[in-house]
Amino acid sequence: MYADIVIPVARGPFTYRVEEAEASRIRRGMGIEVRVGARKRYMGIVWRVHTCRPAFSTKPAGRLMGDGPLLTPAQMELWEWVADYYMCTLGDVMRFAMPAALKPAGLTEEEFRRGEYRPASVRYVKLGPAAADERMLHAALEGLRRAKAQYAALVAFCAAFPDGGVGGGALPRSALAVAAPVLNKLVDKGIFTLFDREVPLSGEGTLDVSRVPLAALSPAQERALEEVRNGFASQDCVLLHGVTGSGKTELYMYLIADALARGRSVLYMMPEIAMTSQLVARIRSVFGNRVTLYHSKLGDRRRAEVYRRLLGSQGGELVLGVRSAVFLPLPAAELIIVDEEHDQSYKQAEPAPRYNARDCAVWMARRWGAKCLLASATPSIESYVNATGGKYALVTLAERYGEGRLPHIVVSDSARAFRRGERRLHFDKALLDRMVAALDDGRQVMLFQNRRGFAPWVECPQCGWVAHCPRCSVTLTYHKLGDRLKCHMCGYSSSLPAGCPRCGTPTPKLMGFGTEKVEEEVAALFPSARILRLDRDTATSPARYERIVTDFERGAADVLVGTQMVTKGFDFPDLGLVGILNADNLLNYPDFRASERAYQTMTQVAGRAGRAAAGGEVVIQTMQPDHPVVRQVQTLDYEGMVRTQLAERSVFGYPPYGKLVVVSLRYRDERLLGQAAAWVAARMRSVFGERVYGPHAPVVEKVGGESYLEILLKVENGRSPARAKEALAGILEEVARHEEYKRVFVFCDVDPQ
Ligand code: ADP
Ligand code: ZN
Ligand code: ZN
């Protein structure tokens, strides 16, 4: 008997011989110990058991681990789909889809054993074979007359049970006040037996869902909920397009409660950044201990516990997680909610599997008859087209809940303000005046700038020299805190040179502005304002993040300055004004999705304002006040944005008019990299002709000392992406066998974001 076994490496599955002793127990999805090469041991997953003897000689697999499969059939099917669709191996999927603590690996037997997952357990004491019934127990007591301590221990144990413990009653070891040597003597005599019992995990819900406090819905929300339910009656997937503050979360609560009440499970996915926020607290306040959290900041052990518990569950689970949560076992799955479905963080860019958890969710719903709810105030164009085209049902919730009105959006022409002298530091008069008014009114202000640090680049005023990372093709950002230049790609840092390294001119100029500088400028302009900053430099841990958010929420600060981190899931009732300091940063990014992204980011940031009756305003500072996207944000014209973008994309065959696959090549030596890329592109052209673009350097062409080149393949709608990928995979195999080019690292990114 043979087994194809998946191990967490980029190759495989590998075929092993199954030992006699394990043959009767072996099943698909079980963990099994295998050796790779001379020494390395892995836990692999039994993928297929068969009897076809391979042409090569096989090694014996080791022992099976645990009593049952570690993967459900549904998970195995998802892994296969991901590996196939995103062009990677099952081993790549395994590396990410399973918590590290569940898949031990090691060079020695001992290292391997140490890595093995053991559930937390408590030691218990019960009566042993020498005290199996009442008569034997009495005899044991008689025999201990002269061993006072042992006698006392046995009596103390028996006193805890009406039948003296002969019925099998057990006590935690810690509840029995007995010294270890005394206990050990009793165990040696067979009077006591020790055993371990697994500690029940928190999150194991006992909460009665029929009694959870759900908010009464507004008529508009009622209607939307009804439409979502109707949508699910005919479709697997519903797109809920609800403006910011419309109360989408309250609708989810109803759907969740329904599912849980039927003993079914729900997966509720949100972007990483929102995981420690107010939103989680809100869901917890309704579903209490029924909520199981799953995200990257959980310890590895905790993630393994969550996984194990779900694997053994019968259903009725509510899992709140980030993208990797799609890989959890979810018994009796009925509903998957993808909140902020447009968010880029659902796509894993690096390393493989380069999957999109939103698209996995849609696939799972299709495959397993569960329902998938995609929701956003600014849906991705792809999802919106799917919804208007009839693939998904579309539900629109166009008004805010309660007193809140959508904020009034003002566009400020920064170039004009500058010319007229109506700008102080990086603030146009239009924004400054409103800040003064809001702060005077005792309302809060939020300022968004999508760069962190103080100055995103440093330049010589004389010769134009710019400080670059020696390992990456990006400028170094100056951070005032610590007085360092830092690379945001690879973490390289150096001190600020006293003079220009090229021409010697002293004091290089600090150019541009990041959140650190914004904070400093606000302090200079509003000396009495209390300011908080939220970015990766201040929110260095979940606790610090939480602290900043709650401080702002309870009014301990007047101004919050932040990066992307402030765009999601926040609800601050006193927030009266939002300032977007530099929209041009967002608009000018060289990517076909830049306009869509800029619209989404600006709308989401703007959506934090005016959630209470007092209303709110937003000021967008830009050099391009007439840019169509700026206008569309201002007039809340989502459909208009989609129309403009679709018109552009149809010309170039970009999604949703075609599928993209990017072939990326990475290597230290640029010359060999260039040759390899040209060779791959030529091979691709021989198969796909005009549909191949490049090779070209990506926006950041060098990272950590390695250069990148990309080749783009467009597969227009109507052609089979599966067949194209198969041909592409063939070409990649040729590279892997090529005399010279096999040293170059080549990978595919399907549906790049
Ligand atoms: P969205 O996610 O659509 O931006 P939220 O779900 O965060 O909106 O709702 C915005 C605010 O309105 C929240 O503070 C929420 O508690 C409140 N809210 C929404 N619907 C209701 C309701 N039916 N009853 C009470 N409060 C509601
Ligand atoms: Zn110089
Ligand atoms: Zn770098």
Side-chain angles (χ1 to χ4, degrees), residues 204-224:
E204 242 163 336
T206 46
L207 181 83
D208 178 0
V209 280
S210 64
R211 290 159 191 271
V212 295
L214 295 177
L217 298 183
S218 70
Q221 288 174 328
E222 285 281 4
R223 205 174 325 118

Side-chain angles (χ1 to χ4, degrees), residues 469-474 476 487-492 702-705:
C469 174
R471 302 196 291 238
C472 312
S473 60
V474 295
L476 293 172
C487 172
H488 287 180
M489 294 299 297
C490 75
Y492 168 89
K702 202 169 137 201
V703 180

Side-chain angles (χ1 to χ4, degrees), residues 215-218 221 242-250 252 279 282 339-340 401 569-571 608 611:
L217 298 183
S218 70
Q221 288 174 328
V243 297
T244 55
S246 58
K248 295 185 283 297
T249 322
E250 304 300 334
Y252 310 157
L279 208 51
R282 254 169 84 192
D339 199 12
E340 313 285 6
Y401 172 78
F570 287 132
D571 197 23
R608 303 308 118 202
R611 295 202 162 212

